[in-house]
């Protein structure tokens, strides 16, 4: 399943984020030592954008109405940052999905 906005925030707040330049992404290490790799996969609109610089990841949390889109988290190689403001984006954009266990 897709993570919720709250689960993504927990990932941001409780995990160690290690930027990996040779693989162009982030290794995210949890308190228990488990980790995942999140690549800077960019996003799709009419074509691929920002591949190798930014990674956008959908949450399962939608906006307050169907036309508001859904929340996402994004990571950026440019300033080695993680956005936690959770902008609402239209679901027509091709963001990455990183599934979590049930």
């Amino acid at each position: 399943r897709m993570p919720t906005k709250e689960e993504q925030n927990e990932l941001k707040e409780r995990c160690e984020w290690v930027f990996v330049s040779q693989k162009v992404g982030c290794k995210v290490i949890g308190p228990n030592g488990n980790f995942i790799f999140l690549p800077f996969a960019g996003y799709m609109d009419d074509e691929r954008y920002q591949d190798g610089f930014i990674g956008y990841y959908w949450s399962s949390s939608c906006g307050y109405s169907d036309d508001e889109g859904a929340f996402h988290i994004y990571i950026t190689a440019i300033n080695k940052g993680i956005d936690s403001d959770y902008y609402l984006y239209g679901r027509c954009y091709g963001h990455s999905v990183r599934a979590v266990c049930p």
Side-chain angles (χ1 to χ4, degrees):
R1 68 175 177 80
M2 288 174 46
T4 64
K5 174 183 162 186
E6 291 77 18
E7 287 171 325
Q8 284 185 338
N9 192 50
E10 184 178 331
L11 189 74
K12 179 192 175 292
E13 299 295 329
R14 297 194 60 215
C15 295
E16 176 186 359
W17 290 72
V18 179
F19 288 81
V20 181
S21 60
Q22 56 282 48
K23 292 195 178 185
V24 195
C26 287
K27 181 178 182 180
V28 186
I29 306 165
N32 61 1
N34 290 341
F35 67 90
I36 59 172
F37 181 76
L38 300 175
F40 298 127
Y43 69 95
M44 293 292 290
D45 192 353
D46 292 336
E47 59 186 77
R48 188 180 223 169
Y49 291 97
Q50 299 177 323
D51 181 31
F53 298 101
I54 291 179
Y56 292 86
Y57 291 89
W58 284 124
S59 78
S60 61
S61 302
C62 293
Y64 303 106
S65 67
D66 287 339
D67 59 347
E68 284 190 30
F71 291 94
H72 71 267
I73 189 171
Y74 77 85
I75 54 176
T76 174
I78 297 165
N79 63 2
K80 295 187 177 181
I82 307 154
D83 183 355
S84 61
D85 290 335
Y86 296 103
Y87 300 106
L88 285 167
Y89 248 68
R91 289 177 268 180
C92 61
Y93 289 100
H95 291 3
S96 298
V97 174
R98 187 64 173 186
V100 296
C101 293

XYZ file of all heavy atoms in Angstrom:
828
model
N 0.843 -1.180 0.000
C 0.000 0.000 0.000
C 0.883 1.235 0.000
O 2.070 1.159 0.300
C -0.936 -0.012 1.199
C -0.221 0.148 2.525
C -1.196 0.255 3.695
N -0.486 0.336 4.943
C 0.082 1.439 5.435
N 0.015 2.557 4.761
N 0.719 1.428 6.587
N 0.271 2.354 -0.327
C 1.009 3.613 -0.320
C 1.013 4.207 1.088
O 0.035 4.082 1.820
C 0.375 4.601 -1.297
C 0.613 4.224 -2.738
S -0.261 5.252 -3.934
C 0.022 6.886 -3.352
N 2.104 4.859 1.487
C 2.155 5.453 2.823
C 1.239 6.680 2.919
O 0.979 7.351 1.930
C 3.609 5.867 2.979
C 4.087 6.070 1.584
C 3.335 5.084 0.737
N 0.777 6.959 4.122
C -0.016 8.159 4.361
C 0.914 9.360 4.515
O 2.135 9.210 4.681
C -0.855 8.024 5.643
O 0.043 7.923 6.758
C -1.773 6.812 5.594
N 0.335 10.523 4.504
C 1.089 11.750 4.747
C 1.781 11.683 6.115
O 2.943 12.071 6.259
C 0.117 12.926 4.680
C 0.678 14.255 5.040
C -0.437 15.304 4.995
C -0.053 16.539 5.742
N -1.125 17.509 5.844
N 1.095 11.170 7.112
C 1.650 11.061 8.460
C 2.833 10.093 8.498
O 3.824 10.334 9.186
C 0.567 10.634 9.451
C -0.501 11.687 9.698
C -1.537 11.804 8.575
O -1.674 10.870 7.738
O -2.210 12.844 8.510
N 2.725 8.980 7.768
C 3.830 8.019 7.723
C 5.048 8.618 7.016
O 6.186 8.385 7.426
C 3.389 6.732 7.033
C 2.457 5.907 7.887
C 1.835 4.736 7.149
O 1.555 4.856 5.933
O 1.624 3.688 7.801
N 4.815 9.385 5.972
C 5.933 10.050 5.305
C 6.594 11.058 6.234
O 7.810 11.197 6.252
C 5.473 10.738 4.022
C 5.244 9.787 2.888
C 4.914 10.515 1.601
O 4.468 11.658 1.606
N 5.135 9.853 0.490
N 5.799 11.754 7.027
C 6.365 12.712 7.975
C 7.198 11.996 9.037
O 8.256 12.476 9.430
C 5.266 13.549 8.633
C 5.844 14.725 9.373
O 6.652 15.464 8.815
N 5.443 14.899 10.609
N 6.731 10.845 9.466
C 7.499 10.044 10.431
C 8.831 9.611 9.820
O 9.863 9.635 10.490
C 6.684 8.824 10.856
C 7.353 7.992 11.923
C 6.489 6.812 12.365
O 5.251 6.912 12.295
O 7.066 5.798 12.779
N 8.809 9.250 8.558
C 10.038 8.884 7.855
C 11.003 10.059 7.863
O 12.194 9.910 8.127
C 9.694 8.486 6.416
C 10.779 7.878 5.571
C 11.059 6.447 6.008
C 10.377 7.915 4.106
N 10.492 11.236 7.608
C 11.316 12.441 7.580
C 11.885 12.763 8.961
O 13.056 13.095 9.096
C 10.512 13.629 7.067
C 11.306 14.907 7.039
C 10.420 16.101 6.800
C 11.184 17.382 6.882
N 11.677 17.728 8.192
N 11.053 12.657 9.992
C 11.436 13.090 11.332
C 12.268 12.063 12.115
O 13.108 12.444 12.912
C 10.183 13.444 12.144
C 9.373 14.576 11.561
C 10.107 15.898 11.576
O 10.924 16.123 12.479
O 9.879 16.703 10.651
N 12.027 10.772 11.893
C 12.637 9.751 12.749
C 13.782 8.980 12.102
O 14.437 8.192 12.763
C 11.558 8.771 13.208
C 10.494 9.473 14.062
C 9.610 8.532 14.802
N 10.390 7.710 15.703
C 10.106 6.439 15.984
N 9.067 5.863 15.453
N 10.849 5.741 16.812
N 14.007 9.199 10.821
C 15.026 8.422 10.119
C 16.236 9.282 9.766
O 16.158 10.500 9.712
C 14.445 7.819 8.833
S 13.150 6.612 9.147
N 17.337 8.602 9.515
C 18.553 9.274 9.052
C 18.548 9.266 7.525
O 18.327 8.226 6.907
C 19.784 8.531 9.572
C 21.080 9.095 9.070
C 22.280 8.266 9.480
O 22.114 7.244 10.180
O 23.389 8.631 9.074
N 18.774 10.418 6.911
C 18.790 10.555 5.457
C 20.230 10.737 5.000
O 20.879 11.704 5.380
C 17.942 11.743 5.032
C 16.478 11.513 5.251
C 15.820 11.476 6.447
C 15.498 11.268 4.254
N 14.487 11.237 6.247
C 14.267 11.109 4.908
C 15.546 11.189 2.863
C 13.079 10.855 4.221
C 14.359 10.952 2.175
C 13.156 10.782 2.863
N 20.710 9.792 4.200
C 22.078 9.849 3.684
C 22.007 10.056 2.177
O 21.491 9.198 1.453
C 22.852 8.551 4.019
C 24.262 8.621 3.465
C 22.855 8.296 5.522
N 22.507 11.187 1.699
C 22.487 11.469 0.268
C 23.619 10.701 -0.405
O 24.767 10.784 0.008
C 22.589 12.969 0.023
C 21.327 13.681 0.387
C 21.046 14.021 1.703
C 20.389 13.984 -0.587
C 19.868 14.655 2.039
C 19.203 14.612 -0.252
C 18.944 14.948 1.054
N 23.274 9.920 -1.427
C 24.212 9.040 -2.120
C 24.389 9.563 -3.537
O 23.517 9.390 -4.381
C 23.685 7.585 -2.138
C 24.675 6.666 -2.827
C 23.383 7.108 -0.732
N 25.515 10.200 -3.796
C 25.697 10.838 -5.099
C 25.922 9.824 -6.215
O 25.439 10.000 -7.324
C 26.855 11.829 -5.052
O 28.054 11.171 -4.702
N 26.655 8.734 -5.958
C 26.927 7.795 -7.042
C 25.686 7.047 -7.507
O 25.636 6.542 -8.610
C 28.082 6.864 -6.734
C 28.084 6.003 -5.508
C 28.420 6.647 -4.194
O 27.903 7.694 -3.835
N 29.236 6.000 -3.411
N 24.656 6.976 -6.704
C 23.401 6.338 -7.118
C 22.305 7.363 -7.332
O 21.187 7.022 -7.652
C 22.957 5.301 -6.090
C 23.874 4.116 -6.028
C 23.234 2.977 -5.301
C 24.176 1.797 -5.299
N 23.586 0.624 -4.726
N 22.611 8.612 -7.092
C 21.686 9.714 -7.313
C 20.369 9.500 -6.563
O 19.309 9.318 -7.147
C 21.449 9.952 -8.818
C 20.790 11.295 -9.039
C 22.721 9.874 -9.614
N 20.456 9.544 -5.252
C 19.277 9.380 -4.422
C 19.628 9.449 -2.951
O 20.697 9.938 -2.582
N 18.724 8.957 -2.102
C 18.910 8.960 -0.655
C 18.704 7.569 -0.083
O 17.762 6.871 -0.459
C 17.902 9.881 0.019
S 18.220 11.600 -0.201
N 19.565 7.211 0.828
C 19.375 6.018 1.639
C 18.738 6.513 2.933
O 19.280 7.383 3.611
C 20.719 5.341 1.915
C 20.617 4.081 2.722
C 22.004 3.457 2.891
C 21.942 2.167 3.659
N 23.294 1.582 3.820
N 17.569 5.956 3.262
C 16.827 6.376 4.445
C 16.897 5.230 5.451
O 16.397 4.139 5.191
C 15.361 6.707 4.092
C 14.643 7.274 5.299
C 15.298 7.683 2.922
N 17.529 5.501 6.594
C 17.802 4.465 7.594
C 16.913 4.699 8.811
O 16.949 5.760 9.433
C 19.278 4.490 8.019
C 20.186 4.400 6.785
C 19.576 3.363 9.004
C 21.623 4.772 7.044
N 16.120 3.684 9.151
C 15.216 3.771 10.292
C 15.915 3.509 11.604
O 17.053 3.030 11.634
N 15.249 3.800 12.725
C 15.823 3.580 14.055
C 16.203 2.119 14.307
O 17.101 1.840 15.092
C 14.715 4.021 15.019
C 13.811 4.879 14.223
C 13.928 4.414 12.804
N 15.538 1.186 13.615
C 15.837 -0.240 13.807
C 16.945 -0.733 12.871
O 17.276 -1.910 12.877
C 14.574 -1.081 13.600
C 14.013 -0.947 12.191
O 14.563 -0.247 11.344
N 12.897 -1.614 11.946
N 17.509 0.147 12.048
C 18.584 -0.228 11.135
C 18.120 -0.614 9.743
O 18.939 -0.732 8.831
N 16.832 -0.835 9.553
C 16.319 -1.117 8.208
C 16.426 0.144 7.361
O 16.397 1.256 7.878
C 14.867 -1.574 8.270
C 14.722 -2.955 8.890
O 15.675 -3.714 8.963
N 13.529 -3.259 9.350
N 16.544 -0.043 6.049
C 16.665 1.118 5.185
C 15.985 0.889 3.848
O 15.699 -0.237 3.467
C 18.139 1.485 4.954
C 18.900 0.460 4.170
C 18.971 0.536 2.786
C 19.552 -0.575 4.809
C 19.672 -0.411 2.054
C 20.259 -1.524 4.086
C 20.314 -1.439 2.708
N 15.719 2.002 3.167
C 15.217 1.983 1.797
C 16.044 2.985 1.007
O 16.674 3.877 1.577
C 13.712 2.339 1.696
C 13.433 3.727 2.264
C 12.859 1.289 2.362
C 12.024 4.215 2.014
N 16.054 2.836 -0.299
C 16.723 3.790 -1.172
C 15.676 4.515 -1.999
O 14.806 3.886 -2.602
C 17.724 3.080 -2.094
C 18.454 4.026 -3.000
C 19.470 4.817 -2.510
C 18.096 4.143 -4.327
C 20.142 5.714 -3.325
C 18.751 5.037 -5.163
C 19.780 5.822 -4.655
N 15.717 5.829 -2.003
C 14.787 6.650 -2.773
C 15.580 7.400 -3.841
O 16.342 8.307 -3.521
C 14.062 7.655 -1.868
C 13.227 7.074 -0.731
C 12.664 8.190 0.143
C 12.110 6.201 -1.276
N 15.432 7.012 -5.096
C 16.185 7.696 -6.156
C 15.585 9.060 -6.507
O 14.408 9.310 -6.284
C 16.063 6.740 -7.347
C 14.812 5.983 -7.097
C 14.663 5.887 -5.606
N 16.426 9.916 -7.058
C 15.975 11.194 -7.592
C 15.417 10.924 -8.979
O 16.064 11.126 -9.990
C 17.127 12.194 -7.671
C 17.740 12.536 -6.341
C 19.098 12.421 -6.144
C 16.953 12.975 -5.294
C 19.670 12.751 -4.929
C 17.516 13.303 -4.073
C 18.880 13.189 -3.887
N 14.175 10.455 -9.017
C 13.567 9.981 -10.265
C 12.835 11.078 -11.036
O 12.299 10.813 -12.103
C 12.597 8.840 -9.962
N 12.800 12.303 -10.503
C 12.089 13.375 -11.187
C 10.597 13.123 -11.189
O 10.047 12.500 -10.294
N 9.939 13.618 -12.250
C 8.501 13.381 -12.408
C 8.149 13.452 -13.886
O 8.937 13.910 -14.706
C 7.675 14.392 -11.606
C 7.718 15.811 -12.119
C 6.739 16.286 -12.981
C 8.726 16.677 -11.742
C 6.767 17.592 -13.455
C 8.766 17.983 -12.198
C 7.789 18.430 -13.059
O 7.824 19.721 -13.519
N 6.969 12.969 -14.210
C 6.486 12.983 -15.588
C 5.336 13.974 -15.717
O 4.460 14.036 -14.869
C 5.997 11.595 -16.009
C 7.078 10.552 -16.118
S 8.212 10.848 -17.476
C 7.164 10.523 -18.876
N 5.387 14.742 -16.783
C 4.256 15.560 -17.210
C 4.053 15.155 -18.661
O 3.663 14.022 -18.922
C 4.571 17.044 -17.039
C 3.344 17.926 -17.200
O 2.276 17.411 -17.565
O 3.460 19.135 -16.969
N 4.360 15.985 -19.605
C 4.377 15.547 -21.001
C 5.666 14.806 -21.314
O 5.744 14.038 -22.254
C 4.251 16.744 -21.944
C 2.874 17.390 -21.865
O 1.932 16.688 -21.462
O 2.762 18.580 -22.187
N 6.688 15.055 -20.519
C 7.977 14.385 -20.644
C 8.585 14.294 -19.255
O 8.029 14.789 -18.287
C 8.899 15.141 -21.603
C 9.177 16.574 -21.186
C 9.977 17.324 -22.224
O 9.394 17.732 -23.234
O 11.191 17.492 -22.000
N 9.737 13.661 -19.158
C 10.393 13.489 -17.871
C 11.119 14.783 -17.485
O 11.824 15.372 -18.291
C 11.388 12.347 -17.972
C 11.986 11.945 -16.669
C 12.958 10.814 -16.902
N 12.761 9.834 -15.873
C 13.294 8.650 -15.898
N 14.034 8.271 -16.903
N 13.087 7.817 -14.915
N 10.952 15.200 -16.209
C 11.570 16.416 -15.708
C 12.402 16.138 -14.459
O 12.022 15.318 -13.633
C 10.508 17.456 -15.329
C 9.771 18.035 -16.502
C 8.532 17.518 -16.868
C 10.304 19.065 -17.246
C 7.840 18.045 -17.951
C 9.626 19.597 -18.334
C 8.393 19.087 -18.678
O 7.713 19.602 -19.753
N 13.500 16.832 -14.317
C 14.336 16.867 -13.119
C 14.873 15.506 -12.693
O 15.197 15.294 -11.528
C 13.604 17.556 -11.974
C 13.244 18.985 -12.300
C 12.459 19.672 -11.209
O 11.612 19.057 -10.551
N 12.728 20.940 -11.013
N 14.981 14.592 -13.618
C 15.558 13.276 -13.336
C 17.003 13.469 -12.873
O 17.776 14.170 -13.502
C 15.502 12.427 -14.609
C 16.047 11.034 -14.410
O 15.937 10.510 -13.294
O 16.592 10.475 -15.377
N 17.349 12.871 -11.755
C 18.685 12.993 -11.199
C 18.863 14.156 -10.246
O 19.936 14.320 -9.671
N 17.820 14.954 -10.060
C 17.919 16.107 -9.175
C 16.878 16.119 -8.060
O 17.128 16.624 -6.984
C 17.776 17.415 -9.976
C 18.853 17.594 -10.982
C 18.616 17.313 -12.319
C 20.114 18.026 -10.616
C 19.611 17.466 -13.265
C 21.121 18.184 -11.547
C 20.874 17.902 -12.877
N 15.683 15.603 -8.339
C 14.585 15.634 -7.371
C 13.831 14.308 -7.418
O 13.687 13.705 -8.475
C 13.612 16.800 -7.675
C 14.295 18.135 -7.383
C 12.329 16.691 -6.877
C 13.446 19.351 -7.655
N 13.364 13.857 -6.265
C 12.508 12.678 -6.193
C 11.191 13.039 -5.533
O 11.178 13.552 -4.413
N 10.097 12.840 -6.239
C 8.751 13.094 -5.707
C 8.107 11.748 -5.389
O 8.147 10.835 -6.210
C 7.875 13.803 -6.741
C 8.290 15.213 -7.063
C 9.239 15.474 -8.035
C 7.707 16.278 -6.401
C 9.607 16.779 -8.339
C 8.063 17.588 -6.704
C 9.012 17.820 -7.675
O 9.366 19.106 -7.975
N 7.484 11.647 -4.215
C 6.865 10.386 -3.793
C 5.453 10.646 -3.285
O 5.257 11.403 -2.332
C 7.721 9.707 -2.715
C 9.013 9.224 -3.310
C 10.124 10.047 -3.358
C 9.079 7.979 -3.904
C 11.289 9.628 -3.967
C 10.249 7.549 -4.511
C 11.337 8.386 -4.548
O 12.486 7.971 -5.167
N 4.478 10.001 -3.938
C 3.080 10.151 -3.550
C 2.813 9.557 -2.177
O 3.388 8.544 -1.797
C 2.165 9.435 -4.536
C 1.939 10.113 -5.834
C 2.172 9.582 -7.072
C 1.403 11.414 -6.063
N 1.822 10.482 -8.045
C 1.349 11.620 -7.448
C 0.975 12.451 -5.231
C 0.883 12.803 -8.014
C 0.514 13.620 -5.790
C 0.463 13.788 -7.168
N 1.885 10.177 -1.463
C 1.285 9.548 -0.287
C -0.121 9.113 -0.698
O -0.606 9.472 -1.768
C 1.210 10.537 0.887
O 0.130 11.431 0.718
N -0.778 8.376 0.152
C -2.159 7.976 -0.122
C -3.149 9.030 0.373
O -4.349 8.884 0.189
C -2.468 6.628 0.537
O -2.323 6.738 1.944
N -2.648 10.088 0.996
C -3.508 11.136 1.558
C -3.884 12.144 0.487
O -3.025 12.799 -0.100
C -2.787 11.854 2.703
O -2.419 10.930 3.708
N -5.184 12.244 0.243
C -5.698 13.169 -0.776
C -6.072 14.494 -0.146
O -6.179 14.613 1.062
C -6.913 12.566 -1.472
S -6.492 11.119 -2.448
N -6.306 15.473 -1.009
C -6.747 16.787 -0.559
C -8.159 16.724 -0.020
O -8.756 15.660 0.108
N -8.695 17.883 0.259
C -10.000 17.960 0.890
C -11.156 17.766 -0.080
O -12.277 17.557 0.312
C -10.128 19.283 1.631
C -9.026 19.424 2.650
C -7.962 20.292 2.434
C -9.028 18.647 3.806
C -6.938 20.395 3.359
C -8.000 18.747 4.736
C -6.957 19.625 4.502
O -5.938 19.713 5.401
N -10.851 17.836 -1.374
C -11.862 17.529 -2.377
C -11.168 16.815 -3.531
O -9.941 16.857 -3.647
C -12.555 18.799 -2.878
O -11.652 19.606 -3.593
N -11.924 16.154 -4.383
C -11.332 15.350 -5.451
C -10.457 16.145 -6.399
O -9.513 15.624 -6.957
C -12.425 14.632 -6.246
C -13.044 13.490 -5.466
O -12.402 13.003 -4.508
O -14.167 13.088 -5.816
N -10.746 17.428 -6.585
C -9.966 18.201 -7.542
C -8.726 18.855 -6.929
O -7.992 19.546 -7.606
C -10.837 19.258 -8.220
C -11.457 20.235 -7.239
O -11.422 19.981 -6.032
O -11.979 21.269 -7.711
N -8.469 18.647 -5.655
C -7.298 19.237 -5.003
C -6.044 18.402 -5.144
O -4.978 18.843 -4.755
C -7.572 19.470 -3.518
C -8.451 20.657 -3.253
C -8.498 20.991 -1.778
O -7.515 20.742 -1.055
O -9.533 21.491 -1.338
N -6.146 17.195 -5.621
C -4.959 16.370 -5.775
C -4.616 15.585 -4.525
O -5.463 15.312 -3.687
N -3.324 15.234 -4.400
C -2.862 14.429 -3.281
C -1.571 15.023 -2.731
O -0.894 15.800 -3.387
C -2.633 12.990 -3.736
N -1.221 14.620 -1.523
C -0.001 15.087 -0.879
C 1.192 14.248 -1.315
O 1.063 13.068 -1.624
C -0.150 15.008 0.639
C -1.135 15.987 1.200
C -2.447 15.615 1.411
C -0.742 17.284 1.507
C -3.368 16.523 1.934
C -1.656 18.185 2.028
C -2.971 17.803 2.245
N 2.356 14.873 -1.307
C 3.583 14.148 -1.609
C 4.724 14.725 -0.778
O 4.625 15.803 -0.224
C 3.928 14.237 -3.103
C 4.399 15.586 -3.538
N 3.559 16.541 -4.045
C 5.623 16.142 -3.526
C 4.244 17.629 -4.339
N 5.505 17.416 -4.022
N 5.774 13.946 -0.695
C 7.021 14.402 -0.099
C 8.024 14.455 -1.239
O 7.906 13.695 -2.202
C 7.492 13.446 1.027
C 8.670 14.026 1.792
C 7.821 12.071 0.497
C 9.029 13.210 3.043
N 8.975 15.372 -1.158
C 10.018 15.325 -2.170
C 11.385 15.586 -1.565
O 11.510 16.248 -0.543
C 9.725 16.226 -3.360
C 9.947 17.709 -3.194
C 11.209 18.267 -3.380
C 8.891 18.550 -2.908
C 11.403 19.628 -3.271
C 9.076 19.911 -2.807
C 10.338 20.446 -2.986
O 10.520 21.797 -2.877
N 12.366 14.996 -2.212
C 13.759 15.142 -1.815
C 14.501 15.792 -2.974
O 14.157 15.591 -4.130
C 14.388 13.778 -1.442
C 14.217 12.772 -2.579
C 13.795 13.249 -0.157
C 14.882 11.430 -2.336
N 15.488 16.578 -2.648
C 16.222 17.274 -3.690
C 17.722 17.147 -3.503
O 18.221 17.262 -2.385
C 15.803 18.755 -3.775
O 16.639 19.424 -4.713
C 15.902 19.466 -2.450
N 18.417 16.907 -4.584
C 19.869 16.806 -4.558
C 20.509 18.187 -4.508
O 21.638 18.329 -4.069
C 20.361 16.054 -5.792
N 19.785 19.186 -4.959
C 20.364 20.524 -5.090
C 20.784 21.080 -3.734
O 21.888 21.549 -3.554
C 19.381 21.466 -5.813
C 19.137 20.944 -7.238
C 19.901 22.888 -5.834
C 17.949 21.549 -7.929
N 19.892 21.024 -2.749
C 20.267 21.537 -1.424
C 20.240 20.440 -0.364
O 20.213 20.725 0.813
C 19.358 22.699 -1.022
C 17.915 22.282 -0.874
O 17.584 21.121 -1.040
N 17.049 23.220 -0.565
N 20.231 19.196 -0.800
C 20.179 18.043 0.098
C 19.076 18.216 1.137
O 19.277 18.074 2.334
C 21.527 17.799 0.768
C 22.593 17.403 -0.210
C 23.872 16.994 0.474
C 24.894 16.524 -0.541
N 26.130 16.094 0.048
N 17.882 18.514 0.658
C 16.767 18.770 1.549
C 15.592 17.845 1.311
O 15.511 17.161 0.308
N 14.686 17.862 2.272
C 13.464 17.075 2.225
C 12.315 18.025 2.521
O 12.294 18.673 3.556
C 13.482 15.955 3.282
C 14.735 15.111 3.151
C 12.237 15.093 3.173
C 15.144 14.444 4.439
N 11.376 18.127 1.619
C 10.244 19.028 1.805
C 9.185 18.318 2.621
O 8.757 17.230 2.290
C 9.677 19.453 0.459
C 8.535 20.442 0.600
O 8.125 20.734 1.742
O 8.058 20.914 -0.423
N 8.753 18.951 3.684
C 7.722 18.355 4.526
C 6.455 19.213 4.583
O 5.603 18.991 5.404
C 8.252 18.151 5.944
O 8.610 19.402 6.502
N 6.369 20.224 3.709
C 5.174 21.054 3.711
C 4.002 20.361 3.030
O 2.867 20.754 3.199
C 5.438 22.389 3.018
C 6.360 23.260 3.845
O 6.398 23.078 5.073
O 7.037 24.104 3.256
N 4.280 19.361 2.255
C 3.256 18.548 1.609
C 2.317 19.370 0.752
O 1.161 19.559 1.069
C 2.451 17.742 2.625
C 3.293 16.750 3.347
C 3.708 16.992 4.633
C 3.710 15.594 2.730
C 4.507 16.094 5.296
C 4.517 14.688 3.376
C 4.906 14.947 4.674
O 5.701 14.073 5.312
N 2.847 19.855 -0.333
C 2.018 20.566 -1.284
C 1.042 19.602 -1.932
O 1.370 18.452 -2.169
C 2.883 21.212 -2.362
C 3.866 22.190 -1.811
C 5.211 21.878 -1.732
C 3.443 23.426 -1.342
C 6.111 22.784 -1.217
C 4.347 24.334 -0.823
C 5.677 24.006 -0.766
O 6.563 24.893 -0.248
N -0.127 20.095 -2.220
C -1.090 19.296 -2.966
C -0.742 19.386 -4.440
O -0.572 20.471 -4.979
C -2.508 19.820 -2.739
C -3.111 19.480 -1.392
C -4.366 20.303 -1.162
C -3.417 18.013 -1.312
N -0.600 18.260 -5.084
C -0.285 18.199 -6.507
C -1.392 17.455 -7.212
O -1.951 16.510 -6.654
C 1.021 17.417 -6.718
C 2.159 18.261 -7.198
C 2.737 19.215 -6.395
C 2.669 18.087 -8.474
C 3.795 19.972 -6.828
C 3.736 18.843 -8.926
C 4.293 19.786 -8.094
O 5.340 20.534 -8.535
N -1.681 17.853 -8.420
C -2.660 17.117 -9.210
C -2.186 15.701 -9.457
O -1.008 15.467 -9.721
N -3.092 14.772 -9.356
C -2.709 13.364 -9.493
C -2.368 12.971 -10.926
O -1.965 11.852 -11.182
C -3.808 12.474 -8.925
C -3.847 12.578 -7.404
C -4.974 11.774 -6.835
N -6.136 12.676 -6.717
C -7.296 12.311 -6.250
N -7.503 11.087 -5.862
N -8.274 13.177 -6.177
N -2.476 13.928 -11.853
C -2.099 13.638 -13.237
C -0.582 13.625 -13.417
O -0.072 13.095 -14.399
C -2.721 14.663 -14.180
S -2.183 16.347 -13.874
N 0.172 14.194 -12.461
C 1.628 14.198 -12.566
C 2.184 12.830 -12.207
O 1.710 12.175 -11.286
C 2.241 15.250 -11.643
C 1.986 16.651 -12.112
C 0.974 17.413 -11.555
C 2.750 17.207 -13.132
C 0.725 18.703 -11.994
C 2.516 18.497 -13.582
C 1.502 19.234 -13.007
O 1.262 20.497 -13.450
N 3.187 12.425 -12.925
C 3.784 11.109 -12.717
C 4.843 11.130 -11.638
O 6.028 11.238 -11.925
N 4.418 11.071 -10.377
C 5.353 10.979 -9.260
C 5.624 9.502 -8.969
O 4.839 8.628 -9.312
C 4.786 11.622 -8.017
C 4.650 13.120 -8.090
N 4.951 13.864 -9.195
C 4.244 13.996 -7.157
C 4.749 15.138 -8.946
N 4.306 15.254 -7.715
N 6.714 9.261 -8.292
C 7.064 7.892 -7.905
C 6.187 7.419 -6.758
O 5.632 8.221 -6.000
C 8.525 7.814 -7.475
O 9.373 8.175 -8.546
N 6.102 6.105 -6.623
C 5.369 5.485 -5.520
C 6.332 4.531 -4.832
O 7.019 3.744 -5.463
C 4.145 4.682 -6.038
C 3.481 3.919 -4.917
C 3.163 5.606 -6.723
N 6.398 4.624 -3.507
C 7.226 3.714 -2.722
C 6.305 3.013 -1.738
O 5.836 3.610 -0.772
C 8.313 4.502 -1.992
C 9.318 3.653 -1.286
C 10.095 2.835 -2.277
N 11.170 2.144 -1.575
C 12.088 1.448 -2.173
N 12.078 1.341 -3.482
N 13.012 0.841 -1.493
N 6.014 1.772 -2.011
C 5.064 1.012 -1.202
C 5.647 0.701 0.182
O 6.856 0.615 0.361
C 4.704 -0.289 -1.914
N 4.747 0.530 1.157
C 5.119 0.112 2.504
C 4.377 -1.173 2.820
O 3.366 -1.495 2.199
C 4.799 1.198 3.559
C 5.616 2.443 3.313
C 3.324 1.543 3.581
N 4.884 -1.913 3.792
C 4.225 -3.164 4.192
C 2.875 -2.878 4.820
O 2.687 -1.831 5.442
C 5.103 -3.927 5.190
S 6.622 -4.524 4.482
N 1.938 -3.823 4.714
C 0.609 -3.616 5.298
C 0.638 -3.532 6.810
O 1.534 -3.859 7.465
C -0.181 -4.828 4.841
C 0.793 -5.808 4.341
C 2.077 -5.090 4.073
